[in-house]
Amino acid sequence: MNAQTAVPVLNRGEGPAAAAFAPDRWHECGDASAGTALMLHSLGLDGRAFAALWRALPKGWRLISYDQLGHGAAAGATNFTFADCVADALRALDLAPGPVHVLGHSMGGAVAACAAASAPGKVASLTLVATPTTGMPVFVERGQAALDGGMDAVVAPTLARWFGPDGSAGNADAIAYARSALHAMAPAGFAAAWRALASFGGYADLAAALPPTLCVAGALDLSTPPPALQAICDALRAGQGLPGAGEAARVETIAGHGHMLPLTAPEALARLLAAHWSRCGGNEAPR
């Protein structure tokens, strides 16, 4: 898998997406004959992070991602809040014909959940991949490390959390892409993103407004291990008055993989997504 391989991109520099997002921030492919999905990448990556996943999904889906504030083509943004990130996601939802299946990876999951709760009639389903349960003080410390020592000071420890200290939870292409995406960030943007995530208040107050939610964990994840995703699922069920089995949320774990599931386990994640979207109203198109 090479996450840097070009993905077909539409609306770059033209159309409504270009009006709401700088042209190079917006990534899109597919014809929407099966439905539309919006994907929000993790802190430290960019919209290209879903290239391998897009190739693994069934044909017929309109697939959209964009570079979040501080990342990729938006790396110049260095003073933003979590609310700004959610506002970006809501703008992206406005550009997509509903209902939209929304996926968020890591920080992207927290942003996606808040956006979905703010647009309940627009979102058909939510998928949270390797997403934290809530903001934590350590997140601010991770950002401060970049302000103190530059990106060189944070890239190695970040990659170790994502792929394991020896890289065994990744592969060469995924690690190379992640390293390049991190180095493309400004220290101030990296710090702003961590401060934003630190302010996330968790899922209890969002649960009642969220659609059916799939929580996906990597069995080897050092950042958001399977019990964290189970805790999110439990909070969503409780918040919707379904402390038992319920349909509010469910958890799946992908064996043998860590935090970067869209990069390292695209086929397994694609199978889970196709089934989830089908249960929630998406129609699979044949390959």
Side-chain angles (χ1 to χ4, degrees), residues 138-149:
V138 69
F139 294 163
V140 177
E141 296 171 14
R142 291 175 185 173
Q144 186 62 43
L147 295 177
D148 294 341

Side-chain angles (χ1 to χ4, degrees), residues 200-251:
F200 172 56
Y203 296 89
D205 292 338
L206 305 177
L210 290 179
T213 301
L214 172 66
C215 300
V216 184
L220 305 180
D221 193 342
L222 300 176
S223 296
T224 53
L229 276 296
Q230 184 62 57
I232 294 172
C233 179
D234 293 344
L236 295 181
R237 288 175 174 174
Q240 294 194 3
L242 295 167
E247 291 297 323
R250 54 197 299 270
V251 180

Side-chain angles (χ1 to χ4, degrees), residues 116-186:
S118 298
K122 182 77 172 183
V123 180
S125 77
L126 178 65
T127 302
L128 303 175
V129 179
T131 299
T133 57
T134 189
M136 304 176 189
V138 69
F139 294 163
V140 177
E141 296 171 14
R142 291 175 185 173
Q144 186 62 43
L147 295 177
D148 294 341
M151 291 307 295
D152 286 341
V154 298
V155 168
T158 300
L159 294 177
R161 284 196 306 274
W162 287 352
F163 301 108
D166 58 358
S168 59
N171 58 62
D173 286 336
I175 294 170
Y177 158 66
R179 181 181 290 110
S180 70
L182 284 164
H183 276 298
M185 296 185 73

